[in-house]
Amino acid sequence: MILPLVQPSNFLYAEPTFRDSNLKAELVTQGLNSPTSMAFLDKSNILVLEKNSGNVLLVSNGVLQKHPILKVHVDHTTLACCRGLLGIAITNNNSTDLQNVFLYYSELLDGKNSVRNRLYRYTWSDESLINPVLILDLPATPGPNHPGGKIAIGLNKYLFTVIGDLNNRGKLQNIKNGPGPTDSSVILRINATDGSPAKGNPFAEFDSKMSKYYGYGVRNSFGLAVDPVTGALWDTENGEKDFDEINLVKSGFNSGWKQLMGPMSQSQVSISDLVNYPGSHYSDPIFSFAPSLGITAMGFFNSTKVGNKYNNNIFAGDISHGNLYFFTLNTNRTGFSFGENTELDMLDSVANGAKELSEVTLGTGFAGITDIVTGPDGFLYVLTFDQEAHGQGKIYRIIHS
């Protein structure tokens, strides 16, 4: 399962409640086992991933189907920590009516006693996932934690994915005397057809080993999202203990790990302490949580169905508190606006402790949140993961009450 960065409170989660009395959570389905990600095939059908079983499940008209659509061979032992079936994205095939389904998982290789984090493209046909094509082959060691795994599709159809540091200590982790690129701590941007580097990637001319990289210096991430208005990429990043982050990820982004998490002004680190590859740039998080709380999924809500104020703004969740967070973007969509009525000091863009955390908390009682997506019906869907109930999961639909 996705492990918390801090121990969760010792309580059973109630049904979700909201600060906005106009919102209500409807249960779509339950009985999921350690779910990590979900994606809509159409308005009636959702594919859901189970981390440990390697099962891709189908929820059809709110009913969890008895048999998995696909079962893949994943590393899921206790020692494997965060490894498993982790990320999904779906696009239409440009040449046919079929859909491409992308899966990221920690594949246990038969007969080799080894594991790789791999991204496959499948074809959805006749309620089956067929014709797997390996398009990205990434390491899983030393690990075993921090494999990343979320997937996002850009407005230009390029595919983004992220892998954490895998406990490496190299230049991609901002260790100046460490080894060179090892495909860890990076956000990758590739062509969805064959996994080749996307045109214009920032480090392609500097080092062919880095040709697929869009950014680096990432400790681990359970959230990637593309702004539906600007096409910009955003991520969540898990800190070790002091900070979690929400970042605007521009081309060449260096997130700063392992030298720092959170704003640089609240550390003893300077830009010169980082590994600054040609074409790279460091930027502070847009928002940070202190202390870290296991920030997970994020998503832009691309709908007005539950109120205009939520349209094209960001929702995020965590694994430890069961909170659903909401952020309004500023006019140029490069940061957050907290409004004139904010009671607490958010000028530092850090939620320091419970009071300031409550300022950005919209909903509570979700258990751990592992995915957030806009459904074809225009409502917000939230995938949950309850550690107090041995990883049992549910899908909720957030509607206007």
Side-chain angles (χ1 to χ4, degrees):
M1 62 183 162
I2 298 174
L3 298 179
L5 300 177
V6 293
Q7 290 298 317
S9 301
N10 206 6
F11 66 91
L12 294 176
Y13 291 100
E15 289 301 299
T17 58
F18 297 91
R19 284 177 54 184
D20 183 346
S21 60
N22 293 314
L23 299 182
K24 180 175 123 177
E26 289 185 336
L27 180 64
V28 175
T29 196
Q30 57 188 335
L32 306 168
N33 187 4
S34 301
T36 54
S37 298
M38 63 180 173
F40 278 85
L41 289 160
D42 53 43
K43 64 181 181 180
S44 301
N45 295 291
I46 313 170
L47 293 182
V48 186
L49 310 186
E50 289 188 333
K51 175 191 169 297
N52 295 334
S53 68
N55 288 337
V56 181
L57 303 177
L58 176 65
V59 177
S60 185
N61 292 310
V63 178
L64 177 61
Q65 302 303 293
K66 183 177 180 180
H67 300 291
I69 295 299
L70 178 71
K71 184 178 182 67
V72 295
H73 199 191
V74 298
D75 188 23
H76 66 278
T77 62
T78 301
L79 292 177
C81 187
C82 301
R83 290 175 182 166
L85 182 52
L86 302 173
I88 185 171
I90 298 176
T91 64
N92 291 323
N93 190 309
N94 292 331
S95 59
T96 70
D97 293 331
L98 301 176
Q99 290 170 292
N100 292 322
V101 178
F102 299 90
L103 298 179
Y104 182 116
Y105 53 93
S106 306
E107 185 173 22
L108 188 59
L109 304 180
D110 291 333
K112 296 183 181 179
N113 194 29
S114 63
V115 184
R116 300 287 292 181
N117 287 308
R118 288 177 156 179
L119 181 64
Y120 284 91
R121 187 185 72 245
Y122 292 79
T123 300
W124 175 256
S125 177
D126 295 328
E127 297 192 358
S128 298
L129 290 174
I130 61 173
N131 301 330
V133 177
L134 177 64
I135 63 171
L136 198 58
D137 184 19
L138 300 170
T141 56
N145 54 343
H146 302 170
K150 286 293 186 176
I151 309 169
I153 305 295
L155 299 188
N156 54 12
K157 305 305 180 184
Y158 288 134
L159 187 150
F160 294 97
T161 193
V162 59
I163 187 168
D165 64 14
L166 302 175
N167 295 324
N168 282 299
R169 294 181 60 87
K171 289 184 170 59
L172 292 174
Q173 291 80 40
N174 288 288
I175 306 297
K176 288 188 175 182
N177 61 354
T182 55
D183 289 349
S184 60
S185 287
V186 294
I187 294 171
L188 303 104
R189 187 176 66 151
I190 60 175
N191 286 295
T193 54
D194 59 6
S196 60
K199 184 178 180 180
N201 276 354
F203 309 114
E205 295 185 5
F206 169 69
D207 186 342
S208 61
K209 295 179 181 178
M210 302 174 64
S211 61
K212 297 180 181 181
Y213 299 175
Y214 192 73
Y216 65 98
V218 177
R219 182 176 183 268
N220 198 37
S221 174
F222 296 118
L224 287 181
V226 172
D227 187 332
V229 177
T230 66
L233 181 70
W234 293 67
D235 81 351
T236 61
E237 186 173 347
N238 300 119
E240 192 168 24
K241 58 180 180 177
D242 296 327
F243 291 98
D244 287 342
E245 300 178 353
I246 295 178
N247 294 295
L248 173 58
V249 182
K250 296 182 180 180
S251 178
F253 175 66
N254 180 356
S255 193
W257 179 255
K258 184 172 178 48
Q259 297 298 334
L260 81 159
M261 290 288 300
M264 186 170 281
S265 62
Q266 298 194 27
S267 76
Q268 303 300 313
V269 176
S270 67
I271 296 290
S272 63
D273 295 319
L274 305 180
V275 173
N276 297 297
Y277 283 114
S280 72
H281 64 90
Y282 169 81
S283 58
D284 271 346
I286 300 301
F287 193 81
S288 301
F289 301 84
S292 59
L293 43 71
I295 195 73
T296 52
M298 70 180 307
F300 284 87
F301 183 52
N302 188 16
S303 171
T304 60
K305 277 285 188 75
V306 297
N308 290 332
K309 67 180 178 181
Y310 298 113
N311 185 37
N312 290 328
N313 287 310
I314 287 178
F315 286 83
D318 73 43
I319 197 69
S320 299
H321 294 18
N323 290 343
L324 182 68
Y325 305 105
F326 174 70
F327 300 91
T328 301
L329 273 76
N330 59 18
T331 302
N332 60 10
R333 304 187 68 79
T334 58
F336 297 149
S337 173
F338 297 106
E340 297 178 358
N341 297 323
T342 300
E343 297 178 0
L344 302 169
D345 178 17
M346 288 292 188
L347 294 178
D348 61 356
S349 295
V350 179
N352 290 289
K355 284 189 176 181
E356 292 193 348
L357 188 66
S358 69
E359 287 289 307
V360 295
T361 300
L362 177 66
T364 59
F366 281 92
I369 293 174
T370 56
D371 211 354
I372 301 170
V373 301
T374 304
D377 57 5
F379 295 114
L380 187 72
Y381 286 73
V382 178
L383 180 65
T384 69
F385 177 112
D386 192 342
Q387 296 182 96
E388 300 292 332
H390 307 289
Q392 292 303 300
K394 302 176 181 179
I395 299 176
Y396 290 98
R397 176 172 48 232
I398 312 307
I399 65 169
H400 195 279
S401 62

